[in-house]
Amino acid sequence: MGMLDLVQNETIKILRRRRFLVILLILAILIPIFTYAQYRSVLTAQEQMGTSDWRALLQQKIVDTQNRLASSRLPEEWREFLKITVQQQQYYLDHDINPMAPGAPTFARGFMDQAISLFLPMIIVVLAVDLVSAEFSEGTIKLLLTRPVRRWKVLTSKYVTLLLFTSLTVLMTLILAALISGVVFGYAGWDMPVLTGFEIAGGELETAGVFALPQWKYLLMQYGLGWFVSVVVGTITFMVSVLVRSAAAGMGIMMAALISGAILTQMASSWESAKYLFVVNLQLTDYLAGTLPPIKGMSLPFSLTVLTVWGAASLVVAYAVFIKRDVTS
Amino acid sequence: MTETVLSIKGLRKQMGGKPIIKDISFDVYAGEVFGFLGPNGAGKTTTIRMLVGLASADAGEIHIGGISLHKHFPQAIAQVGCIVENPELYKFMTGRENLEHFARMSGGISRERIEEIVRFVDLQRAIDDKVKTYSLGMRQRLGIAQALLHNPKLLILDEPTNGLDPAGIRELRQFIRRLAEEEGLAVFISSHLLSEIEMMCDRVAIIGKGKVISVGLVKDLMEQFGDQVEWSVSPETTEAASRILRALPFVEEAVASKEGRIMCKMDTERIAEANRTLVLQGIAVLGIAAKTVTLEDLFLALTTEEGGAEHGHAGPGAK
């Protein structure tokens, strides 16, 4: 009757439903594809420049960007973003650090940068979307709730199990990204210094607080932020799973939210209150890398707060509804 | 002194602003099979959902083994085993995994107890197969196994014979009688199929439109109505024959239903006596049929009185 027994039950059900297996398969199929794409782009860049020297490549990139900046038709926000990118690249060049040094850890870092706002949340949605609703749609809720266990305990056991598998998913993403890409790029580069601590003040990149971190530490911070995003998205999906009985509908709701978030971050810079939506706050790793946030006034503490509030509110709604609701078929 | 296992007092519930359950009260004792009868839509399933804590009641009290379901849910529900509607188990797990799942939720159930219950419902051979490969009958038995796993005092079955073939129904009937008589369980069965309730149950509650219409021993309820005898006589003597029958002291009522047919409410043991009287007075008796009142007739009569035309819904299934 203890919580451990209940969590064991939920774990068995997730495994028997093969949800986690599906996620591992998605990762195992997509990571090699991304690895190959990365490999091609490195090759193409070297061919175009006729050199494999990263300094020359980075210098060329800076020149390219400055040329684009010279064009007068560029929108103002975009111009600021490019300026900051140039400043950052210049900093790497001045300090003799190759930001793109190929290797398993660099790939894993790039992968999380790309995955944190859409790919990883979607995987978590697959995991969480029918955690509660399947019990209703399959009718097993009637057996689950007629046991000597209070409803809040039943829901807690499901949530704890979700946290468990969310953590496992983020961990497996890191392990698989490093393992698979290492086959192509090699496994070196864990100690390579990565710059962080950038601050954006009034559209200028503030490099005063910048410091170099060994890549493995940077990765831990990055995947920690990825974990936090996953937990929040998982919690919101969990609420949807309590509210919506059909897994397809729940999936639709979450997909629509995540994708519109991805679109909004591209174009919402002039709509300032959009920054309170959870979906535009998912790109947490950008704060580490020193990229300009999509909307003015956003910072790492701000995004963390917004996400925490959304997660907490979702939990409250999920518990209130699950405990109160009459089970009808 | 028989123990009251389930006690319901003044249960009420509204859904969508409409009162669905208006006032339901009854007791169920240990060792009896209690039938809960009513046409579809009378509120049977809603009542059962409240009994097992799936739905909340607006007013009224439910005590199981003397413990308030509302105040001490875990302790009260621990004494209940139930199948609400179909036995829906986890199809992607084996029968054994399903039982282990529910055993962990109840606590204190040994591996031996699981083995024992599997033998009891005769599922030894299929217990390690996935439930999705089970036939309906096997699912029904696994459903009963999960309901009995934790040795409940009260077994609640909602429409248990839905979808079972006649052999399955017979098997279930014997099984339920055995549980009540040998194990001393209180078994609470809801149904709209009267014939099966009549064969299985000791007492019944008949509900219509969210109210209890009648509670009592099946035998007593049926005696209230008495037996009926149908007489066939040659058509031209119908009037005379009914006059003679009505004059007999032991005949309560004699109605000429149509040409040559007379329905009598009377003791079937005195048919011969009545027949002799008719024959002596020159009536040609063509046929005599003794009709025992079934619960079905009773049910129709009761729900028609109270519930208007609703009984019509029970018709097709009530064979």
Side-chain angles (χ1 to χ4, degrees), chain B residues 8-309:
Chain B
I8 300 178
K9 277 196 198 84
L11 207 59
R12 277 166 213 276
K13 183 164 184 71
Q14 286 201 342
M15 278 164 95
K18 278 200 304 189
I20 300 293
I21 304 297
K22 287 163 192 159
D23 182 10
I24 288 190
S25 305
F26 56 79
D27 290 332
V28 179
Y29 308 117
E32 75 170 347
V33 181
F34 187 89
F36 192 51
L37 265 175
N40 289 329
K44 294 192 302 285
T45 299
T46 309
T47 307
I48 289 185
R49 283 175 194 279
M50 288 192 277
L51 287 187
V52 296
L54 289 176
S56 57
D58 294 341
E61 277 180 41
I62 300 168
H63 283 86
I64 297 164
I67 299 172
S68 162
L69 185 73
H70 180 66
K71 286 181 197 139
H72 307 284
F73 177 75
Q75 291 85 340
I77 205 73
Q79 308 173 69
V80 179
C82 65
I83 305 179
V84 179
E85 291 167 320
N86 306 316
E88 281 140 336
L89 292 124
Y90 297 103
K91 294 191 178 67
F92 51 89
M93 302 202 292
T94 67
R96 188 188 303 280
E97 284 171 332
N98 269 285
L99 292 181
E100 285 167 352
H101 176 276
F102 294 116
R104 274 191 287 268
M105 292 192 82
S106 289
I109 292 169
S110 64
R111 218 151 264 288
E112 289 72 46
R113 173 63 187 159
I114 293 179
E115 292 303 326
E116 186 187 9
I117 204 79
V118 168
R119 251 178 286 121
F120 189 64
V121 296
D122 197 22
L123 268 179
Q124 297 97 309
R125 256 184 295 162
I127 198 66
D128 288 312
D129 295 341
K130 290 222 165 105
V131 172
K132 61 180 160 210
T133 66
Y134 282 22
S135 68
L136 189 71
M138 286 156 80
R139 279 178 205 187
Q140 188 79 262
R141 278 185 283 166
L142 186 60
I144 289 174
Q146 66 76 26
L148 294 176
L149 194 59
H150 49 291
N151 287 310
K153 281 184 183 171
L154 172 65
L155 181 64
I156 295 177
L157 304 173
D158 187 13
E159 304 275 0
T161 55
N162 266 3
L164 286 185
D165 57 11
I169 293 177
R170 193 164 55 240
E171 194 182 305
L172 183 74
R173 191 161 62 224
Q174 290 162 353
F175 186 76
I176 286 170
R177 291 295 336 168
R178 201 169 97 211
L179 282 177
E181 282 160 22
E182 292 171 20
E183 316 272 327
L185 253 76
V187 186
F188 180 94
I189 295 179
S190 87
S191 183
H192 65 278
L193 300 181
L194 304 133
S195 49
E196 96 199 9
I197 290 281
E198 192 174 353
M199 282 188 273
M200 264 190 275
C201 297
D202 302 303
R203 288 196 309 140
V204 292
I206 296 175
I207 71 159
K209 287 198 162 177
K211 276 189 205 160
V212 175
I213 296 169
S214 177
V215 186
L217 290 173
V218 173
K219 209 171 58 194
D220 288 351
L221 282 176
M222 284 165 57
E223 264 170 20
Q224 273 179 20
F225 264 62
D227 292 337
Q228 296 210 334
V229 178
E230 188 182 60
W231 301 84
S232 298
V233 294
S234 40
E236 66 276 10
T237 58
T238 315
E239 264 308 296
S242 42
R243 213 176 319 114
I244 296 162
L245 282 170
R246 230 171 285 147
L248 290 170
F250 52 84
V251 172
E252 285 176 42
E253 215 181 299
V255 184
S257 54
K258 54 187 169 189
E259 281 300 280
R261 292 281 162 91
I262 302 157
M263 288 299 294
C264 265
K265 208 169 178 180
M266 61 180 282
D267 190 349
T268 47
E269 284 175 9
R270 304 185 83 162
I271 288 176
E273 209 179 325
N275 188 34
R276 194 178 325 119
T277 317
L278 283 172
V279 172
L280 285 175
Q281 303 214 19
I283 307 286
V285 176
L286 303 175
I288 308 166
K291 284 195 170 173
T292 309
V293 173
T294 59
L295 197 51
E296 201 156 328
D297 302 322
L298 181 73
F299 177 68
L300 281 179
L302 286 172
T303 50
T304 315
E305 272 168 39
E306 295 269 341

Side-chain angles (χ1 to χ4, degrees), chain A residues 1 5-6 8-9 12-13 16-18 135 138-151 154 325-329, chain B residues 13 15 49 52-56 71 73-74 77-78 82 84-85 88-90 92-93 97 101-102 104-107 130 146 150:
Chain A
M1 233 188 290
D5 285 322
L6 297 179
Q8 188 186 350
N9 276 347
I12 290 172
K13 282 188 271 185
R16 287 286 182 280
R17 276 185 213 276
R18 308 231 170 92
E135 302 273 5
E138 289 167 15
T140 45
I141 192 74
K142 291 179 285 187
L143 295 180
L144 197 65
L145 294 185
T146 52
R147 306 285 144 182
V149 179
R150 296 246 181 220
R151 284 191 186 189
V154 173
R325 182 163 63 186
D326 282 354
V327 177
T328 55
S329 60
Chain B
K13 183 164 184 71
M15 278 164 95
R49 283 175 194 279
V52 296
L54 289 176
S56 57
K71 286 181 197 139
F73 177 75
I77 205 73
C82 65
V84 179
E85 291 167 320
E88 281 140 336
L89 292 124
Y90 297 103
F92 51 89
M93 302 202 292
E97 284 171 332
H101 176 276
F102 294 116
R104 274 191 287 268
M105 292 192 82
S106 289
K130 290 222 165 105
Q146 66 76 26
H150 49 291

Side-chain angles (χ1 to χ4, degrees), chain A residues 125 129 133 237 240-241 244-256:
Chain A
V125 168
V129 75
S133 62
T237 314
V240 169
S241 186
V244 180
R245 196 174 294 190
S246 137
M251 191 72 97
I253 290 168
M254 288 312 292
M255 290 287 168

Side-chain angles (χ1 to χ4, degrees), chain A residues 39-319:
Chain A
Y39 174 68
R40 294 294 311 185
S41 80
V42 168
L43 277 191
T44 314
Q46 286 177 359
E47 265 169 35
Q48 278 175 355
M49 309 294 170
T51 173
S52 60
D53 178 20
W54 67 266
R55 284 179 202 84
L57 283 174
L58 196 57
Q59 186 64 57
Q60 189 57 45
K61 265 192 187 170
I62 293 173
V63 171
D64 281 353
T65 316
Q66 275 165 344
N67 286 343
R68 287 178 70 191
L69 275 169
S71 156
S72 57
R73 280 180 309 191
L74 224 50
E76 197 49 41
E77 309 90 44
W78 192 232
R79 186 183 297 276
E80 268 175 34
F81 171 78
L82 288 180
K83 265 189 207 159
I84 288 171
T85 314
V86 168
Q87 287 172 37
Q88 218 186 81
Q89 287 169 341
Q90 193 62 50
Y91 189 94
Y92 278 118
L93 202 58
D94 294 348
H95 291 76
D96 202 26
I97 296 164
N98 178 4
M100 298 311 293
T106 309
F107 177 86
R109 175 160 64 98
F111 186 69
M112 184 47 96
D113 274 336
Q114 298 300 318
I116 194 168
S117 63
L118 197 58
F119 180 69
L120 192 61
M122 281 207 191
I123 280 190
I124 299 299
V125 168
V126 170
L127 190 68
V129 75
D130 63 350
L131 208 56
V132 180
S133 62
E135 302 273 5
F136 280 90
S137 60
E138 289 167 15
T140 45
I141 192 74
K142 291 179 285 187
L143 295 180
L144 197 65
L145 294 185
T146 52
R147 306 285 144 182
V149 179
R150 296 246 181 220
R151 284 191 186 189
W152 67 265
K153 269 194 179 176
V154 173
L155 197 64
T156 303
S157 70
K158 282 191 175 291
Y159 188 62
V160 169
T161 311
L162 175 63
L163 292 183
L164 219 67
F165 276 92
T166 300
S167 311
L168 216 53
T169 302
V170 176
L171 188 68
M172 287 310 290
T173 307
L174 176 58
I175 291 175
L176 285 177
L179 267 184
I180 295 173
S181 67
V183 175
V184 177
F185 301 121
Y187 294 98
W190 296 96
D191 285 327
M192 188 187 90
V194 180
L195 297 180
T196 188
F198 299 99
E199 269 174 69
I200 288 119
E204 283 292 306
L205 189 70
E206 198 67 60
T207 50
V210 169
F211 58 98
L213 216 59
Q215 183 149 254
W216 66 269
K217 268 193 188 167
Y218 188 89
L219 269 177
L220 283 186
M221 287 167 68
Q222 226 195 359
Y223 276 75
L225 291 176
W227 176 82
F228 186 76
V229 165
S230 301
V231 165
V232 171
V233 171
T235 308
I236 295 169
T237 314
F238 189 66
M239 172 191 72
V240 169
S241 186
V242 170
L243 297 179
V244 180
R245 196 174 294 190
S246 137
M251 191 72 97
I253 290 168
M254 288 312 292
M255 290 287 168
L258 290 173
I259 290 169
S260 56
I263 297 169
L264 272 176
T265 47
Q266 307 289 322
M267 57 184 226
S269 51
S270 49
W271 173 30
E272 212 173 297
S273 42
K275 66 184 177 186
Y276 297 109
L277 298 172
F278 81 92
V279 282
V280 300
N281 283 288
L282 300 178
Q283 195 65 45
L284 293 183
T285 51
D286 276 5
Y287 297 116
L288 291 184
T291 317
L292 194 67
I295 300 172
K296 271 210 173 78
M298 286 170 65
S299 63
L300 183 57
F302 174 84
S303 288
L304 288 176
T305 310
V306 169
L307 291 177
T308 306
V309 169
W310 274 82
S314 302
L315 262 194
V316 170
V317 172
Y319 271 89

